[in-house]
Amino acid sequence: MSGTKTNIQARDVLNRMKPYSPGKPVWEVQRELGLDHVVKLASNENPLGPSPRAVEAVHKLLTDIHRYPDAQAVDLRAAIAGKYGLASEQIIVTNGGDELITLVSEAFINTGDEIIVPGPSFSEYEFGGRLMGATIRTVALTEDYQYDVAAILEAVNERTRLVYLCSPNNPTGTILRTSDLTELLNALPPSVLVVYDSAYSHFVTEDDYSDGIEFVQAGYPVIVLQTFSKVYGLAGIRVGFGVASPSIIRAILQVKEPFNVNALAQAAAVAAINDEDHVRKTSRLVREERLRLYRGFEELGLSYTPSMSNFILVQLGEEAEKRYVELMRRGVIVRYGAAWGLPQHVRISVGTPEENRMLLEALGAILD
Ligand SMILES: Cc1ncc(COP(=O)(O)O)c(C=O)c1O
């Protein structure tokens, strides 16, 4: 028998898809560079770790993992509904916010449709669009990384199905002000679904900001994306959720795998969303350490974009890639900006005081 006669063709759209490039894991850098102590400030994770209540909930459930999870995630949806004053029918729970983006794409995009994506922003929006054969209309942020509402509206045409808005935006940390969001939503045609990604909402200190839920409640065609990977510290167990009108949620449920969120994740998320102490401690730490990092960057003569999130976009100049590699050699992993078309920048997650000190020391030594 010979297998040489096969001619298996993958879908054409796969040729146009860029693979996601994740932050390097600690173990990989330790192994590759033979380092003992490595600090990861590359994936905007919670520097304090998971909610302790979530860890306890996972432990308790371990002996039950021979059972399938609840396909409807009834308890978790009830916990989210309770927290935000929503009905459970307005909520879908997903395997991380990433899965929500894919599911929204599968539910609403036909081949040849267009989606509007701000740039630079989170790469998964484009991934979902390409997967479904959509044309991606990238609308650049302004020079200081603000949303250009007029340019977004100009990009809309009769084939536009989705508009993505990420606020705070990854990787810039800038937000779309509530006043601008209102203007935009009022001007968009009612056939356009807005995916409002507020994954980092808990870190915002600006008053003129909304996590988007009030716009769902007011009846706008908006789906809000939230995640348990950031303030709740559950990135490794994969859980996120979407909030929209029951009819939008019903459409997305049609393309969802029955058991998309595992049992441990559901239990952990219920515990974490009720762990107000952990949420408070995490957001306080991020807000304080963000300021400390600003001061550190200023002392080093580095320019950065003030951030409403748990990461900061920092200008490292023409040598940015070299400096990114050098930081890694010194045991500090950050994210290099080339994937966002920002080859002179790195994105640095806000860590613990100790981690941030190590970062600033390493940067100081490199720039010396
Ligand atoms: C803006 C934004 N949205 C969504 C996500 C998805 O998070 P997850 O799939 O871990 O829930 C991330 C993760 O980094 C993100 O930065």
Side-chain angles (χ1 to χ4, degrees):
M1 287 244 292
S2 151
T4 54
K5 286 189 195 131
T6 62
N7 183 21
I8 308 299
Q9 302 285 328
R11 289 173 58 214
D12 291 347
V13 295
L14 269 57
N15 297 327
R16 294 190 287 277
M17 299 188 62
K18 291 183 225 146
Y20 181 74
S21 72
K24 264 186 178 280
V26 169
W27 62 264
E28 194 178 311
V29 175
Q30 280 177 326
R31 194 180 296 169
E32 278 177 8
L33 301 174
L35 296 169
D36 286 336
H37 187 46
V38 170
V39 163
K40 185 181 176 203
L41 300 174
S43 299
N44 310 334
E45 294 148 342
N46 188 324
L48 293 180
S51 147
R53 289 220 224 159
V55 174
E56 199 187 317
V58 168
H59 273 293
K60 273 203 193 134
L61 203 71
L62 279 174
T63 51
D64 253 3
I65 56 169
H66 58 302
R67 304 283 178 207
Y68 280 96
D70 174 4
Q72 267 96 44
V74 170
D75 289 347
L76 178 51
R77 285 194 300 132
I80 297 165
K83 189 68 53 209
Y84 286 94
L86 297 160
S88 285
E89 294 67 35
Q90 292 175 288
I91 299 162
I92 180 170
V93 173
T94 55
N95 186 27
D98 284 349
E99 190 199 16
L100 182 65
I101 296 167
T102 309
L103 294 178
V104 165
S105 308
E106 288 172 349
F108 296 105
I109 300 175
N110 288 303
T111 309
D113 283 344
E114 295 192 1
I115 69 167
I116 296 179
V117 178
S121 193
F122 188 47
S123 62
E124 290 302 282
Y125 311 145
E126 205 174 313
F127 169 89
R130 291 206 189 282
L131 183 66
M132 299 312 297
T135 299
I136 319 293
R137 301 277 299 244
T138 306
V139 175
L141 301 178
T142 62
E143 220 162 87
D144 52 351
Y145 306 128
Q146 302 298 317
Y147 277 91
D148 187 339
V149 173
I152 292 173
L153 288 171
E154 246 168 62
V156 175
N157 62 35
E158 64 290 344
R159 285 189 296 167
T160 309
R161 296 303 305 270
L162 301 179
V163 172
Y164 280 95
L165 301 170
C166 184
S167 181
N169 184 47
N170 178 7
T172 58
T174 45
I175 58 161
L176 177 63
R177 289 174 194 285
T178 311
S179 37
D180 289 336
L181 175 59
T182 309
E183 184 195 329
L184 183 55
L185 290 177
N186 285 332
L188 282 170
S191 55
V192 173
L193 175 62
V194 170
V195 183
Y196 187 77
D197 184 342
S198 55
Y200 298 97
S201 60
H202 292 85
F203 307 116
V204 176
T205 47
E206 164 69 50
D207 287 338
D208 192 12
Y209 172 77
S210 168
D211 62 12
I213 306 254
E214 65 194 279
F215 289 91
V216 173
Q217 296 291 56
Y220 285 98
V222 172
I223 178 158
V224 170
L225 180 155
Q226 280 269 322
T227 177
F228 282 90
S229 299
K230 308 300 171 187
V231 80
Y232 301 111
L234 300 180
I237 210 163
R238 312 301 302 129
V239 52
F241 64 95
V243 176
S245 70
S247 64
I248 291 172
I249 296 296
R250 274 197 303 276
I252 306 171
L253 286 172
Q254 284 188 269
V255 293
K256 175 183 97 65
E257 300 274 343
F259 304 113
N260 63 327
V261 181
N262 74 72
L264 299 177
Q266 291 187 33
V270 170
I273 202 167
N274 290 314
D275 190 348
E276 283 172 9
D277 188 45
H278 193 65
V279 169
R280 211 175 14 249
K281 276 188 192 144
T282 304
S283 33
R284 194 189 314 132
L285 175 93
V286 166
R287 289 163 190 192
E288 285 171 7
E289 287 301 305
R290 203 159 64 186
L291 296 176
R292 181 221 284 269
L293 284 173
Y294 293 168
R295 285 197 301 275
F297 298 145
E298 283 155 20
E299 278 164 23
L300 294 169
L302 293 172
S303 56
Y304 59 89
T305 305
S307 171
M308 284 289 107
S309 197
N310 65 344
F311 52 82
I312 306 170
L313 189 66
V314 182
Q315 250 268 19
L316 289 186
E318 301 215 329
E319 306 264 87
E321 187 171 16
K322 216 175 103 201
R323 289 172 170 166
Y324 152 76
V325 172
E326 186 54 32
L327 275 176
M328 193 135 57
R329 282 211 193 97
R330 290 167 185 266
V332 183
I333 316 172
V334 300
R335 191 73 74 92
Y336 180 47
W340 293 292
L342 298 168
Q344 300 204 1
H345 290 75
V346 290
R347 189 197 65 194
I348 301 176
S349 305
V350 178
T352 60
E354 173 58 25
E355 290 170 334
N356 298 333
R357 202 172 310 122
M358 195 170 148
L359 162 84
L360 290 170
E361 272 172 25
L363 266 177
I366 291 166
L367 295 168
D368 221 0

